[in-house]
Amino acid sequence: MDCTVRSSDLVPISDARRLAWAVLSRAACGPSRALWQLVDELGVENAAAAVAAGDVPVAVDHRVLERGDPDLAARDLETLHRIGGRLLTPEDPEWPTQRLAQLATRANAHADCVAPLALWVLGSASLRGVSEDPTVAVVGSGAGSGYGDLVTTMFVEDFAARGWTICSGGTMGIASRAHRVALAAAASTVAVLACGIDRAYLQHNQDLVEQIATAGLLVTEYPPQTPISRSKARARARMVAAFADAVVAIEAGRGSLARQAVFWASRLDRAAYAVPGPVTSPESAGCHDLITMDAAQLVTTAADIPHPQYRNDRAGLPEAHV
């Protein structure tokens, strides 16, 4: 499948309207049910104007109003343009509507079960095009062992041979290994970041970030200059799960945020799996807990995970209201 971005993937909405989405994305800086409610009630441009003016008819955190500065949002768009990225909105054909549909319903009571208002993207592949392929999220500890690296390599090479897209968090450890193996196998790979696109280059794996930006996709709901934080990493887990048909945890300690992606898989009706490890390894303890709790199914090879019947033609999927 040709997943290259084409000119039709970004609709010719006005600069003012795209700026309005950027204002709302900057104001939200993560999942924001209140701002989506505002968009539902007022429309995109009126909602952005209300935020910029500090005049909103729904309760929002005061920090939202402080961040919703049109001048700063314009600066964000300039930064994105300078590094060759693009801002995707729910109005763009490249928007992965079906992948985000269950977040967009806003029916789940979990506070973070909200679709992003916009996505800041870097890479030549089409996000929607890549999303139409079967996708697996490979997650795990940020300090993977030799065992974790070996298992990740085995799984990802098998998935790549079967035509799956590999999704992870662009971080160190298991995620880094998953992306590197995918790139080596010429498989599509998507890194979902918990920081601004430009901040990704400040991480330790800069060479990997550059490779993904060239051959895959960097995706984030956070505007440029946004630093990573634990709360953002927790919120990222829902996006990693949403983009995937299946989530596989390989080496996750009991305190690992990788386990959050497995929990989100169940909330979003995705398949969840975990790989067992040595009983003496703290890095595998979280995977063992997931299996014991029936939060994830035990797997030992990628062949244990069936090819999904991708839901391209599912009827009744709700669209995000804009």
Side-chain angles (χ1 to χ4, degrees), residues 8-14 16-22 24 36 39 43-45 87-97 116-119 128 319-322:
S8 60
D9 287 335
L10 288 177
V11 298
I13 65 176
S14 69
R17 192 167 179 84
R18 200 168 294 280
L19 176 60
W21 281 113
L24 292 169
W36 263 119
V39 172
V44 176
E45 292 179 78
L87 178 69
L88 293 186
T89 80
E91 298 174 313
D92 290 311
E94 193 188 345
W95 187 259
T97 303
L117 283 144
L119 290 170
R128 183 162 189 158
E319 297 282 343
H321 298 297
V322 296

Side-chain angles (χ1 to χ4, degrees), residues 134 159 162 164 245-246 271 273 297 299 302-309:
F159 282 126
R162 294 158 61 190
W164 291 58
D245 294 289
Y273 304 92
Q297 180 179 333
V299 289
D304 295 333
I305 300 172
H307 192 285
Q309 296 288 328

Side-chain angles (χ1 to χ4, degrees), residues 139-149 174 249-253 256 258 275 278 281 283-284 287:
V139 299
S141 170
S145 68
Y147 169 81
D149 286 348
I174 299 301
I250 300 175
E251 278 203 326
S256 172
V275 179
S281 171
E283 294 300 332
S284 289
C287 288

Side-chain angles (χ1 to χ4, degrees), residues 197-210:
I197 288 277
D198 56 334
R199 298 283 295 192
Y201 291 93
L202 302 179
Q203 309 304 317
H204 297 297
N205 49 353
Q206 180 175 341
D207 67 315
L208 174 61
V209 170
E210 292 175 349

Side-chain angles (χ1 to χ4, degrees), residues 3-5 83-84 86 121-126 183 187-189 191 201 206-218:
C3 294
T4 304
V5 172
I83 64 176
R86 58 195 181 277
V121 178
L122 183 60
S124 61
S126 164
L183 289 166
S188 297
T189 189
Y201 291 93
Q206 180 175 341
D207 67 315
L208 174 61
V209 170
E210 292 175 349
Q211 290 178 56
I212 296 173
T214 300
L217 281 173
L218 298 173

